[in-house]
């Protein structure tokens, strides 16, 4: 299977010629390197999750602070507006002018508080999204590592007899402890329903066996098993 590392050690492989059932484990590759990486990735994911939670809490706190500042600025503005709305003849000119100036300052203060509130809403949301993306990345890494570990345990897709392949470096059957790599074919599981047998026909039997006749085949390696079939072809020329 595809792995982050190109080479991996074959920890265990089923015996060549063994009968297996669908879903039965037939080979196991070394997952020690990936298990260590998975632990680190899980720790990194937990840290990223904590950062997201911390950012959410911080956003909530600052949002309340900004809302309080806006409400406070709005109250001060209303107070300044009431004082500035009194007829100018009720105050000395200097006091009246100060009231008008205070009204403008409070209007600017409310505008500034609203701008700060909107700015933090945007910056806080952006900061939270950055941390959420980091968490999503960590979670994908954890999932990929877990899938990689699961993929290192190979199972038979169907019932049958496993045939171990020959290692191209050593010219022998693949065995436990061998170093293998991505896309390396460890074994085959032939479809016995399409088994073909090439048999020698004695001269004295020539003409006695015809295509379409039913046969029962027995294998030397498994004499207790029988494989029913039929004759598909009889070659016209002796070879």
């Amino acid at each position: 299977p595809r792995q982050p590392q190109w080479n991996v050690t074959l920890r265990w492989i089923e015996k060549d010629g063994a009968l297996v059932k669908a879903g039965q484990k037939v080979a196991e590759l070394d997952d020690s390197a990936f298990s260590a990486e998975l632990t680190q990735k899980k720790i990194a994911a937990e840290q990223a999750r904590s950062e997201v939670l911390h950012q959410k809490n911080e956003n909530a706190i600052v949002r309340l602070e900004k809302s309080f500042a806006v409400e406070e600025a709005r109250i001060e503005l209303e107070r300044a507006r009431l004082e500035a709305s009194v007829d100018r003849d009720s105050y000395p000119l200097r006091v009246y002018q100060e009231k008008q100036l205070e009204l403008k300052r409070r209007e600017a203060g409310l505008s500034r508080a609203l701008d700060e509130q909107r700015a933090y809403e945007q910056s806080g949301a952006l900061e939270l999204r950055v941390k959420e993306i980091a968490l999503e990345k960590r979670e994908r890494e954890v999932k990929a590592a877990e899938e990689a570990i699961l993929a290192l345990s190979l199972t038979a897709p169907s019932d049958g007899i496993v045939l171990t392949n020959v290692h191209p470096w050593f010219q022998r059957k693949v065995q436990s402890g061998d170093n293998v790599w991505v896309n390396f074919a460890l074994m085959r599981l032939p479809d016995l329903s399409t088994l073909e047998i090439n048999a020698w026909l004695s001269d004295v039997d020539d003409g006695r066996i015809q295509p379409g006749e039913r046969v029962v085949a027995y294998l030397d390696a498994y004499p207790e098993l029988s494989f029913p079939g039929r004759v598909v072809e009889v070659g016209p020329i002796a070879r």
Side-chain angles (χ1 to χ4, degrees):
R2 293 184 60 184
Q3 298 296 323
Q5 295 181 357
W6 182 256
N7 293 324
V8 65
T9 301
L10 179 61
R11 181 183 294 171
W12 172 83
I13 188 169
E14 182 61 85
K15 181 180 177 181
D16 185 35
L19 287 170
V20 296
K21 297 293 184 179
Q24 180 179 335
K25 183 168 65 174
V26 294
E28 185 176 333
L29 301 166
D30 184 26
D31 63 356
S32 56
F34 306 107
S35 297
E37 289 182 0
L38 177 59
T39 301
Q40 297 298 323
K41 293 181 186 300
K42 284 185 176 180
I43 293 174
E46 285 301 321
Q47 291 176 344
R49 191 171 291 107
S50 298
E51 291 179 1
V52 169
L53 180 59
H54 175 75
Q55 187 64 44
K56 286 182 178 179
N57 293 334
E58 182 179 349
N59 284 1
I61 293 172
V62 177
R63 189 177 295 113
L64 289 175
E65 292 176 350
K66 298 298 182 183
S67 297
F68 179 78
V70 169
E71 289 303 316
E72 188 177 34
R74 185 173 285 113
I75 292 172
E76 293 296 331
L77 174 60
E78 291 300 321
R79 181 183 294 114
R81 182 175 288 117
L82 287 173
E83 293 180 354
S85 64
V86 176
D87 188 84
R88 65 180 300 170
D89 295 334
S90 301
Y91 291 122
L93 179 59
R94 182 178 63 81
V95 175
Y96 176 79
Q97 291 175 343
E98 289 177 352
K99 297 296 183 182
Q100 299 302 315
L101 182 60
E102 180 66 16
L103 174 60
K104 294 184 180 301
R105 282 201 299 265
R106 294 304 179 182
E107 289 175 345
L110 176 60
S111 178
R112 183 169 58 253
L114 289 171
D115 289 342
E116 291 177 357
Q117 184 184 45
R118 285 191 293 266
Y120 185 80
E121 286 291 338
Q122 294 177 356
S123 63
L126 179 60
E127 187 67 23
L128 176 60
R129 184 53 186 157
V130 169
K131 287 182 168 56
E132 287 176 341
I133 291 174
L135 173 59
E136 292 170 1
K137 178 182 177 183
R138 297 300 184 188
E139 289 177 338
R140 285 196 301 269
E141 291 175 350
V142 169
K143 183 179 179 180
E146 290 175 340
E147 291 176 348
I149 291 176
L150 290 176
L152 292 174
S153 182
L154 307 181
T155 58
S158 60
D159 297 350
I161 300 174
V162 291
L163 302 178
T164 307
N165 284 347
V166 174
H167 199 295
W169 293 356
F170 309 116
Q171 297 305 311
R172 57 160 172 75
K173 293 284 188 176
V174 175
Q175 61 187 27
S176 301
D178 283 348
N179 187 38
V180 294
W181 51 89
V182 174
N183 285 335
F184 183 97
L186 299 175
M187 59 181 62
R188 292 169 292 142
L189 190 65
D191 182 3
L192 299 182
S193 65
T194 61
L195 180 66
E196 293 184 358
I197 298 176
N198 292 324
W200 294 100
L201 179 64
S202 174
D203 288 345
V204 297
D205 294 324
D206 184 21
R208 299 174 58 188
I209 298 178
Q210 302 296 329
E213 292 183 354
R214 300 184 64 81
V215 299
V216 178
Y218 297 90
L219 307 180
D220 291 341
Y222 303 96
E224 72 280 5
L225 300 179
S226 61
F227 299 92
R230 64 185 179 86
V231 178
V232 175
E233 179 185 8
V234 178
I237 301 177
R239 292 183 296 158

